[in-house]
Amino acid sequence: MEQQTADQKVTKIKSEDVFYEIPDEIGLSRRGVPSGFELIKKADQTIERSARSESMAKYKLAQACKKYGANVILDYSAERFVRNSIGFSFYMYRVSGYPAVMAKISKDGSFSREELEDSLNTAEIYADAKRRQSVKKGNFILKLLACAMALFFLAGFLMSK
């Protein structure tokens, strides 16, 4: 029979007998985990959303995080940028952050640490980040093709004279 040390017994008690309660709302945190909460799991990839107003962009980001199983957005950042469309310029807002799961230790809690760790869908978060990269690459390729076509038509125009 194998003997357990005191540290192993404490770890076993902590992982099996500790329960957590989670907040009802999605939280935004610019720096670190809010006080009183414990970080359970954080995604490696950021997610990003943009909209015409900052509040709508926040809403879209919160809904995406909820879809991925997160209940907090860590390292939240917001950026205002200008988008041009058919001669008109308008301001857009881009918000981003790391989806994560946080919870409070509670005697009345109904979630174990393992359940909370499994609730964050990191595969979907990774797929979202990969889609965002593909869109950026596609837009860059379209811009290169547009420049090449413009040069081609310019050369044809100059040769026609």
Side-chain angles (χ1 to χ4, degrees):
M1 192 164 157
E2 205 174 303
Q3 295 230 341
Q4 291 182 337
T5 64
D7 291 336
Q8 290 172 336
K9 288 180 185 176
V10 170
T11 305
K12 187 175 182 182
I13 290 170
K14 281 185 180 178
S15 66
E16 291 177 356
D17 295 337
V18 175
F19 289 96
Y20 296 88
E21 67 179 57
I22 58 173
D24 296 331
E25 300 284 324
I26 297 279
L28 296 173
S29 175
R30 291 191 189 274
R31 293 185 191 92
V33 180
S35 61
F37 287 93
E38 182 179 335
L39 180 63
I40 305 295
K41 189 172 184 181
K42 179 181 173 183
D44 295 332
Q45 302 285 330
T46 62
I47 59 172
E48 181 179 288
R49 296 293 184 264
S50 58
R52 291 283 308 262
S53 68
E54 188 174 2
S55 61
M56 181 54 78
K58 278 183 191 179
Y59 175 78
K60 286 181 176 183
L61 185 66
Q63 290 304 310
C65 283
K66 190 181 281 189
K67 182 176 95 174
Y68 300 143
N71 63 4
V72 67
I73 302 164
L74 298 176
D75 301 332
Y76 170 78
S77 65
E79 166 190 17
R80 188 170 98 164
F81 65 98
V82 176
R83 178 164 285 169
N84 297 317
S85 177
I86 313 172
F88 297 102
S89 297
F90 51 92
Y91 287 109
M92 295 280 291
Y93 293 87
R94 182 180 301 122
V95 295
S96 65
Y98 290 93
V101 176
M102 68 176 185
K104 283 184 180 181
I105 294 176
S106 173
K107 293 177 185 175
D108 300 328
S110 57
F111 298 100
S112 69
R113 185 175 187 88
E114 290 79 22
E115 289 173 330
L116 292 173
E117 285 175 352
D118 291 341
S119 70
L120 188 64
N121 192 346
T122 53
E124 282 294 319
I125 295 167
Y126 178 75
D128 183 77
K130 193 172 181 180
R131 265 191 309 275
R132 190 174 67 227
Q133 281 299 108
S134 296
V135 167
K136 285 182 181 179
K137 285 179 185 177
N139 286 341
F140 180 73
I141 289 170
L142 284 174
K143 287 177 185 176
L144 284 178
L145 289 174
C147 289
M149 285 177 47
L151 290 175
F152 178 74
F153 289 124
L154 179 66
F157 178 74
L158 293 175
M159 292 179 149
S160 68
K161 287 190 174 188

